[in-house]
Amino acid sequence: MIDRFTAIVANKHDGGSIAAPRELCLADLPDDDVLVEVAYSTLNYKDGLALTGASPICRFFPMVCGIDLAGTVVESKNQQFHAGDKVIVNGFGLSESHWGGYSQKMRVRAEWLVRKPDEFTLEQTMAIGTAGYTAMLCVQSLLEHGTQPGDGPVIVTGASGGVGSVAVMLLSRMGFDVVAATGRAKENESFLKALGARKLVERDELNRKSKALESERWAGGVDCVGGDMLATVIAQTRYGGAVTACGLAGSPKLSTTMMPFILRGVQLRGIDSVMAPLEARQRAWEKLGKTVNLDLLASIYRVEPMSNVVDLGGELLAGKVRGRIVIDVNA
Ligand SMILES: NC(=O)c1ccc[n+]([C@@H]2O[C@H](COP(=O)([O-])OP(=O)(O)OC[C@H]3O[C@@H](n4cnc5c(N)ncnc54)[C@H](OP(=O)(O)O)[C@@H]3O)[C@@H](O)[C@H]2O)c1
């Protein structure tokens, strides 16, 4: 086995942090029980923050970035996994409190591993990645609430992004009437309609100070943006509807009133993908395997070499990335 390999490592810099390629060897890796030869990782919003140092994501340094990985088990001290098994890790503190997926080799804990669903290649699992698996957690939360196709329009905010574009694709595949809210309507109209959005709403129509209650428009919502956008979606949600809150691409703040909750029985459902229990992950990945149309999936991602990932992190935070980016850690 080649002992030396490349990783993208964040280090302290000028009161913040900065990420750059670095050569590592097996002895540098954490002492966890499963050694994985990583094939692909992804680029998510949190990766953008860690790569650029825009927000203190990494809890210690040096930190190998990358919140996702997909690869093949090389060695395992855990009896449930063997050399040759194809596995995925999403979150569980990768790039925050544990070294992450921007590395050609990584040791991880067996209890974080999800087996690759048969329906996908390793590349396709990372086209979905944390963003897509979070989109599925949002959709499952709406279904658990009782929201059904046929109930009326469901809004997805930040629709051109990773979570948003997969949420549009999944909801539409399940028969929901999907409305996509985006700040890039002109540029991304055909992209979002091809994923199944029936209609687009301009970001500014929702990203404003809302009244306590507004006209009832949405049977449900998947919000990736937070702030005023989320407050307006809540104020426009129909009696008995639910909104899942997973993101803060616009703002981590939320200023709303009690009115939608006590007069319309609206539910706000928080979604966490990072520490979600393994059982919930397996359910989400099984459902992804049954729901994702591979041709549509191919239309929402591109593969980039790991050597480009630091620059791409800045582009993602600037809202310039559409859909998903898969990172080939061996290129
Ligand atoms: N809860 C969890 O477990 C979990 C998991 C994954 C991600 N997240 C969070 O979910 C959010 C989306 O993640 P992502 O990976 O999909 O990121 P992304 O690819 O960067 O997508 C975010 C989208 O939000 C919109 N947006 C960006 N800046 C905005 C602003 N200032 N105001 C309003 N809209 C804005 C843009 O869509 P348009 O151009 O279409 O408007 C952008 O494409 C992030 O906050 C991320 O941290 C949470």
Side-chain angles (χ1 to χ4, degrees):
M1 193 190 316
I2 301 163
D3 186 36
R4 304 205 73 79
F5 50 91
T6 307
I8 302 293
V9 180
N11 270 298
K12 277 188 183 169
H13 176 75
D14 218 7
S17 67
I18 195 165
R22 193 179 126 186
E23 195 170 83
L24 297 179
C25 65
L26 288 176
D28 294 324
L29 295 183
D31 190 26
D32 289 320
D33 47 1
V34 182
L35 176 64
V36 178
E37 184 160 49
V38 181
Y40 298 99
S41 182
T42 66
L43 184 68
N44 299 276
Y45 193 84
K46 198 183 267 177
D47 295 313
L49 297 175
L51 287 164
T52 58
S55 188
I57 294 295
C58 310
R59 302 213 190 124
F60 64 85
F61 298 99
M63 172 60 74
V64 176
C65 300
I67 68 170
D68 285 324
L69 66 80
T72 307
V73 172
V74 178
E75 288 168 7
S76 173
K77 293 181 195 155
N78 181 295
Q79 297 201 334
Q80 289 187 325
F81 292 94
H82 304 281
D85 288 350
K86 306 281 184 203
V87 293
I88 310 165
V89 186
N90 302 118
F92 272 130
L94 295 194
S95 180
E96 296 181 76
S97 44
H98 302 281
W99 278 12
Y102 296 159
S103 175
Q104 292 164 338
K105 305 259 184 336
M106 188 47 65
R107 278 204 198 91
V108 291
R109 295 188 193 163
E111 68 255 32
W112 299 339
L113 296 176
V114 169
R115 288 181 194 280
K116 180 188 75 61
D118 291 340
E119 293 86 349
F120 303 125
T121 62
L122 286 174
E123 179 181 309
Q124 287 165 336
T125 64
M126 290 293 98
I128 293 166
T130 282
Y133 136 72
T134 303
M136 182 52 93
L137 292 180
C138 292
V139 172
Q140 286 179 315
S141 180
L142 288 181
L143 293 171
E144 276 160 26
H145 173 74
T147 313
Q148 296 288 330
D151 284 355
V154 171
I155 179 102
V156 176
T157 67
S160 315
V163 179
S165 56
V166 180
V168 169
M169 179 174 76
L170 295 174
L171 285 163
S172 130
R173 282 280 286 176
M174 291 177 188
F176 283 91
D177 173 8
V178 185
V179 176
T182 176
R184 294 179 278 172
K186 250 191 210 150
E187 190 185 328
N188 290 341
E189 181 171 3
S190 54
F191 170 73
L192 289 166
K193 289 201 166 160
L195 292 181
R198 179 182 54 82
K199 196 178 147 196
L200 270 58
V201 169
E202 292 279 354
R203 180 191 293 174
D204 292 347
E205 196 183 317
L206 301 173
N207 209 11
R208 55 167 171 79
K209 295 280 170 232
S210 56
K211 295 183 195 153
L213 291 173
E214 300 196 357
S215 301
E216 295 175 66
R217 297 175 77 183
W218 320 117
V222 170
D223 179 68
C224 305
V225 172
D228 288 345
M229 178 87 98
L230 175 56
T232 305
V233 167
I234 293 169
Q236 295 181 347
T237 297
R238 289 182 184 175
Y239 191 94
V243 181
T244 59
C246 74
L248 37 67
S251 170
K253 293 190 178 154
L254 176 61
S255 173
T256 182
T257 74
M258 289 303 296
M259 299 308 182
F261 306 111
I262 62 173
L263 295 181
R264 290 185 181 158
V266 168
Q267 278 196 17
L268 181 60
R269 299 172 73 98
I271 302 297
D272 169 56
S273 67
V274 178
M275 298 310 293
L278 202 57
E279 198 203 2
R281 292 164 187 262
Q282 275 157 349
R283 265 204 318 272
W285 275 102
E286 264 169 42
K287 186 86 176 155
L288 283 160
K290 292 193 183 104
T291 312
V292 170
N293 171 310
L294 296 180
D295 291 332
L296 275 184
L297 182 66
S299 74
I300 69 164
Y301 79 93
R302 66 182 205 261
V303 181
E304 290 277 352
M306 189 161 74
S307 51
N308 287 351
V309 76
V310 177
D311 290 344
L312 288 166
E315 283 182 33
L316 182 118
L317 293 188
K320 292 185 184 156
V321 169
R322 182 172 88 178
R324 299 277 300 139
I325 294 186
V326 171
I327 302 300
D328 182 345
V329 302
N330 297 296

